[in-house]
Amino acid sequence: MSLALATPLVAAGCGGSSNKQSASASTSGAPPDSGRDATIMIIRHGEKPSSGDPGFDETGKQDKKSLTRQGWERSHALPRLFARTTSTAGSAGSAGSASSAGSTGSARSASTAGSAGLPRPLALYAAADQGPHAGAHRMRQTVTPLGAALHVQVNTDFAEGEEKELAAAALAAASPVLICWEHSKIPAIVEALGAAQVAGVPEEWPDRFDLVWMFTRRAGTWTFKPVPQHLLPSDA
Protein backbone atom coordinates (compact mmCIF):
# COMPACT_ATOMS: atom_id res chain seq x y z
CA MET A 1 0.00 0.00 0.00
CA SER A 2 1.53 3.26 -1.10
CA LEU A 3 1.62 6.23 1.19
CA ALA A 4 0.27 8.26 -1.62
CA LEU A 5 -2.83 7.71 0.56
CA ALA A 6 -1.17 9.91 3.14
CA THR A 7 -1.66 13.27 1.49
CA PRO A 8 -2.62 15.92 0.07
CA LEU A 9 -1.57 18.26 2.80
CA VAL A 10 -2.67 21.73 3.71
CA ALA A 11 -0.40 24.32 5.26
CA ALA A 12 0.31 23.31 8.83
CA GLY A 13 1.33 26.61 10.31
CA CYS A 14 -1.09 29.26 11.40
CA GLY A 15 -0.28 32.88 11.67
CA GLY A 16 0.20 34.30 14.72
CA SER A 17 3.04 34.90 17.05
CA SER A 18 1.02 37.90 18.25
CA ASN A 19 -1.99 35.68 18.91
CA LYS A 20 0.22 33.25 20.77
CA GLN A 21 1.75 36.02 22.87
CA SER A 22 -1.65 37.40 23.82
CA ALA A 23 -2.86 33.93 24.77
CA SER A 24 0.26 33.40 26.87
CA ALA A 25 -0.23 36.71 28.61
CA SER A 26 -3.84 35.90 29.39
CA THR A 27 -2.91 32.64 31.14
CA SER A 28 -0.05 33.83 33.29
CA GLY A 29 -1.14 33.07 36.84
CA ALA A 30 -4.85 32.98 35.95
CA PRO A 31 -7.32 30.29 34.87
CA PRO A 32 -9.05 30.54 31.49
CA ASP A 33 -12.17 32.68 31.16
CA SER A 34 -15.02 30.71 32.64
CA GLY A 35 -18.00 32.45 31.10
CA ARG A 36 -18.05 31.92 27.35
CA ASP A 37 -19.95 28.96 25.91
CA ALA A 38 -17.58 26.55 24.17
CA THR A 39 -17.26 23.08 22.70
CA ILE A 40 -13.76 21.62 22.83
CA MET A 41 -13.00 18.19 21.39
CA ILE A 42 -9.68 16.47 22.07
CA ILE A 43 -8.17 13.48 20.31
CA ARG A 44 -4.93 11.58 20.52
CA HIS A 45 -2.81 11.40 17.39
CA GLY A 46 -3.09 8.32 15.18
CA GLU A 47 -1.13 5.12 15.69
CA LYS A 48 2.57 5.54 16.38
CA PRO A 49 5.58 3.34 15.52
CA SER A 50 6.35 0.26 17.57
CA SER A 51 8.61 -2.73 17.13
CA GLY A 52 8.06 -4.07 13.63
CA ASP A 53 5.56 -1.34 12.76
CA PRO A 54 7.49 1.73 11.54
CA GLY A 55 6.26 5.23 10.92
CA PHE A 56 6.30 6.89 7.51
CA ASP A 57 6.36 10.54 6.56
CA GLU A 58 4.30 12.08 3.76
CA THR A 59 6.76 10.91 1.11
CA GLY A 60 6.75 7.29 2.31
CA LYS A 61 10.13 7.53 4.01
CA GLN A 62 10.48 5.75 7.35
CA ASP A 63 10.35 8.26 10.20
CA LYS A 64 10.00 7.52 13.90
CA LYS A 65 8.17 10.82 14.50
CA SER A 66 5.44 10.04 11.95
CA LEU A 67 2.32 7.89 11.79
CA THR A 68 2.27 4.21 10.96
CA ARG A 69 0.26 2.95 7.98
CA GLN A 70 -2.70 2.37 10.29
CA GLY A 71 -2.21 5.86 11.71
CA TRP A 72 -2.40 7.30 8.18
CA GLU A 73 -5.56 5.28 7.55
CA ARG A 74 -7.10 6.82 10.66
CA SER A 75 -5.98 10.27 9.59
CA HIS A 76 -7.73 9.96 6.25
CA ALA A 77 -10.83 8.41 7.79
CA LEU A 78 -11.19 11.17 10.39
CA PRO A 79 -13.27 13.51 8.18
CA ARG A 80 -16.02 10.87 8.22
CA LEU A 81 -16.65 11.67 11.89
CA PHE A 82 -17.76 15.14 10.89
CA ALA A 83 -19.48 14.42 7.58
CA ARG A 84 -23.06 15.69 7.48
CA THR A 85 -25.73 13.03 7.63
CA THR A 86 -28.30 12.80 4.86
CA SER A 87 -30.97 14.45 6.96
CA THR A 88 -28.82 17.34 8.12
CA ALA A 89 -27.42 17.86 4.64
CA GLY A 90 -30.95 18.37 3.37
CA SER A 91 -31.79 20.89 6.03
CA ALA A 92 -28.50 22.68 5.62
CA GLY A 93 -29.02 23.27 1.92
CA SER A 94 -26.28 23.23 -0.66
CA ALA A 95 -22.59 22.55 -0.01
CA GLY A 96 -22.12 26.28 0.19
CA SER A 97 -23.91 26.24 3.53
CA ALA A 98 -20.75 24.77 5.08
CA SER A 99 -19.02 28.05 4.46
CA SER A 100 -21.63 29.78 6.62
CA ALA A 101 -21.02 27.46 9.56
CA GLY A 102 -20.07 30.40 11.71
CA SER A 103 -23.58 31.85 11.56
CA THR A 104 -25.95 31.42 14.49
CA GLY A 105 -29.23 29.58 14.76
CA SER A 106 -30.55 26.31 13.33
CA ALA A 107 -28.68 26.71 10.03
CA ARG A 108 -25.38 26.62 11.89
CA SER A 109 -26.45 23.58 13.89
CA ALA A 110 -27.50 21.72 10.74
CA SER A 111 -24.37 22.55 8.79
CA THR A 112 -22.09 21.37 11.59
CA ALA A 113 -23.88 18.15 12.55
CA GLY A 114 -21.66 15.11 12.04
CA SER A 115 -22.70 11.53 11.47
CA ALA A 116 -21.17 10.55 14.83
CA GLY A 117 -23.14 13.26 16.61
CA LEU A 118 -20.04 15.44 16.80
CA PRO A 119 -20.10 19.10 15.78
CA ARG A 120 -17.89 20.03 12.83
CA PRO A 121 -14.82 21.95 14.06
CA LEU A 122 -14.37 25.58 13.10
CA ALA A 123 -10.84 25.62 14.55
CA LEU A 124 -8.14 22.93 14.58
CA TYR A 125 -5.03 22.74 16.78
CA ALA A 126 -2.08 20.32 16.70
CA ALA A 127 1.20 20.39 18.60
CA ALA A 128 4.08 22.24 16.94
CA ASP A 129 6.39 19.97 14.97
CA GLN A 130 8.80 22.64 13.73
CA GLY A 131 11.07 25.01 15.62
CA PRO A 132 13.06 24.79 18.86
CA HIS A 133 10.27 23.14 20.88
CA ALA A 134 9.03 20.82 18.14
CA GLY A 135 7.59 17.45 18.99
CA ALA A 136 6.59 14.59 16.72
CA HIS A 137 4.78 15.11 13.43
CA ARG A 138 1.96 12.74 14.31
CA MET A 139 -0.44 15.33 15.73
CA ARG A 140 -0.29 17.55 12.65
CA GLN A 141 -0.40 14.55 10.30
CA THR A 142 -3.50 13.20 12.03
CA VAL A 143 -5.65 16.30 11.46
CA THR A 144 -4.24 17.60 8.16
CA PRO A 145 -6.73 15.65 5.98
CA LEU A 146 -9.56 16.85 8.23
CA GLY A 147 -8.39 20.43 7.82
CA ALA A 148 -8.33 19.97 4.04
CA ALA A 149 -11.84 18.48 4.05
CA LEU A 150 -13.26 21.28 6.20
CA HIS A 151 -11.15 24.06 4.62
CA VAL A 152 -9.83 24.92 8.09
CA GLN A 153 -6.14 25.63 8.59
CA VAL A 154 -4.36 23.62 11.29
CA ASN A 155 -2.90 25.86 13.99
CA THR A 156 0.50 24.59 15.18
CA ASP A 157 1.49 27.66 17.18
CA PHE A 158 1.66 25.80 20.49
CA ALA A 159 4.16 23.15 21.52
CA GLU A 160 3.83 20.33 24.03
CA GLY A 161 4.30 21.92 27.44
CA GLU A 162 2.26 24.98 26.45
CA GLU A 163 -1.08 23.51 27.35
CA LYS A 164 -2.23 26.56 29.34
CA GLU A 165 -1.62 28.83 26.39
CA LEU A 166 -3.29 26.34 24.07
CA ALA A 167 -6.38 26.14 26.27
CA ALA A 168 -6.70 29.92 26.40
CA ALA A 169 -6.42 30.14 22.61
CA ALA A 170 -8.96 27.34 22.11
CA LEU A 171 -11.47 29.05 24.40
CA ALA A 172 -11.04 32.29 22.49
CA ALA A 173 -11.35 30.66 19.06
CA ALA A 174 -14.49 30.10 17.01
CA SER A 175 -16.25 27.09 18.51
CA PRO A 176 -16.40 24.09 18.08
CA VAL A 177 -12.67 23.41 18.42
CA LEU A 178 -10.74 20.17 17.85
CA ILE A 179 -7.32 19.63 19.46
CA CYS A 180 -4.98 16.78 18.50
CA TRP A 181 -2.29 16.22 21.11
CA GLU A 182 0.17 13.83 22.71
CA HIS A 183 -1.88 11.64 25.03
CA SER A 184 0.21 12.10 28.19
CA LYS A 185 -0.27 15.89 27.96
CA ILE A 186 -4.02 15.84 27.34
CA PRO A 187 -4.89 15.93 31.08
CA ALA A 188 -2.95 19.21 31.30
CA ILE A 189 -5.21 20.67 28.60
CA VAL A 190 -8.29 19.51 30.48
CA GLU A 191 -6.93 21.05 33.67
CA ALA A 192 -6.21 24.33 31.91
CA LEU A 193 -9.75 24.42 30.53
CA GLY A 194 -11.07 24.13 34.08
CA ALA A 195 -12.79 20.82 33.32
CA ALA A 196 -10.63 18.30 35.20
CA GLN A 197 -13.17 17.81 38.00
CA VAL A 198 -16.14 17.20 35.72
CA ALA A 199 -17.92 13.92 36.35
CA GLY A 200 -16.61 11.05 34.25
CA VAL A 201 -13.35 12.65 33.11
CA PRO A 202 -10.50 10.10 33.47
CA GLU A 203 -7.29 11.16 35.16
CA GLU A 204 -5.29 9.85 32.19
CA TRP A 205 -5.92 9.20 28.53
CA PRO A 206 -6.50 5.45 28.06
CA ASP A 207 -4.26 3.30 25.88
CA ARG A 208 -6.41 3.93 22.79
CA PHE A 209 -6.22 5.92 19.56
CA ASP A 210 -9.93 5.72 18.72
CA LEU A 211 -11.58 8.17 21.11
CA VAL A 212 -12.84 11.74 21.09
CA TRP A 213 -13.20 13.56 24.38
CA MET A 214 -15.89 16.21 24.00
CA PHE A 215 -16.18 18.99 26.55
CA THR A 216 -19.15 21.33 26.36
CA ARG A 217 -19.47 24.47 28.47
CA ARG A 218 -22.83 26.17 28.77
CA ALA A 219 -23.59 28.99 31.21
CA GLY A 220 -20.20 28.43 32.83
CA THR A 221 -20.69 24.70 33.49
CA TRP A 222 -18.68 21.97 31.75
CA THR A 223 -20.01 18.56 30.75
CA PHE A 224 -17.98 15.65 29.37
CA LYS A 225 -18.75 12.95 26.83
CA PRO A 226 -16.33 10.32 25.46
CA VAL A 227 -17.18 9.37 21.87
CA PRO A 228 -15.74 6.28 20.14
CA GLN A 229 -14.51 6.96 16.61
CA HIS A 230 -15.47 3.61 15.00
CA LEU A 231 -13.38 4.49 11.96
CA LEU A 232 -11.18 1.41 11.49
CA PRO A 233 -11.95 -2.33 11.85
CA SER A 234 -9.71 -2.50 14.92
CA ASP A 235 -11.59 0.26 16.77
CA ALA A 236 -13.42 -0.73 19.93
Side-chain angles (χ1 to χ4, degrees):
M1 177 173 56
S2 169
L3 282 192
L5 63 86
T7 50
L9 293 178
V10 295
C14 183
S17 58
S18 60
N19 291 341
K20 182 176 176 179
Q21 289 169 357
S22 63
S24 178
S26 69
T27 57
S28 56
D33 169 36
S34 60
R36 185 170 179 262
D37 285 359
T39 299
I40 310 291
M41 295 170 285
I42 307 176
I43 62 173
R44 183 184 186 180
H45 56 74
E47 283 79 350
K48 65 180 182 179
S50 60
S51 178
D53 190 13
F56 297 90
D57 68 13
E58 290 81 352
T59 69
K61 180 181 178 180
Q62 286 197 19
D63 176 28
K64 65 181 181 181
K65 291 187 175 183
S66 290
L67 296 169
T68 64
R69 292 186 185 276
Q70 186 171 353
W72 281 112
E73 290 175 4
R74 183 174 305 284
S75 171
H76 283 271
L78 197 60
R80 297 207 311 265
L81 278 180
F82 305 99
R84 290 191 299 271
T85 61
T86 302
S87 59
T88 56
S91 62
S94 67
S97 66
S99 64
S100 61
S103 62
T104 58
S106 59
R108 179 179 186 276
S109 177
S111 67
T112 59
S115 58
L118 295 169
R120 302 181 82 196
L122 297 179
L124 296 171
Y125 290 86
D129 64 339
Q130 303 293 331
H133 303 294
H137 305 304
R138 289 184 287 272
M139 285 73 78
R140 172 184 57 78
Q141 291 170 341
T142 298
V143 292
T144 292
L146 177 62
L150 298 179
H151 305 288
V152 175
Q153 192 174 35
V154 179
N155 185 314
T156 58
D157 282 350
F158 303 98
E160 294 174 39
E162 296 180 322
E163 285 76 24
K164 287 184 178 180
E165 292 85 350
L166 168 68
L171 288 171
S175 186
V177 173
L178 178 71
I179 298 169
C180 183
W181 217 249
E182 206 285 324
H183 76 284
S184 66
K185 304 292 179 60
I186 289 176
I189 302 174
V190 178
E191 180 73 29
L193 290 172
Q197 304 306 313
V198 174
V201 177
E203 293 184 1
E204 298 179 348
W205 188 274
D207 187 21
R208 293 176 61 178
F209 297 94
D210 61 344
L211 285 175
V212 181
W213 282 6
M214 184 166 70
F215 296 88
T216 304
R217 186 173 66 186
R218 298 291 181 265
T221 299
W222 285 105
T223 58
F224 168 70
K225 181 182 179 181
V227 180
Q229 294 181 8
H230 294 316
L231 291 173
L232 303 181
S234 59
D235 286 1

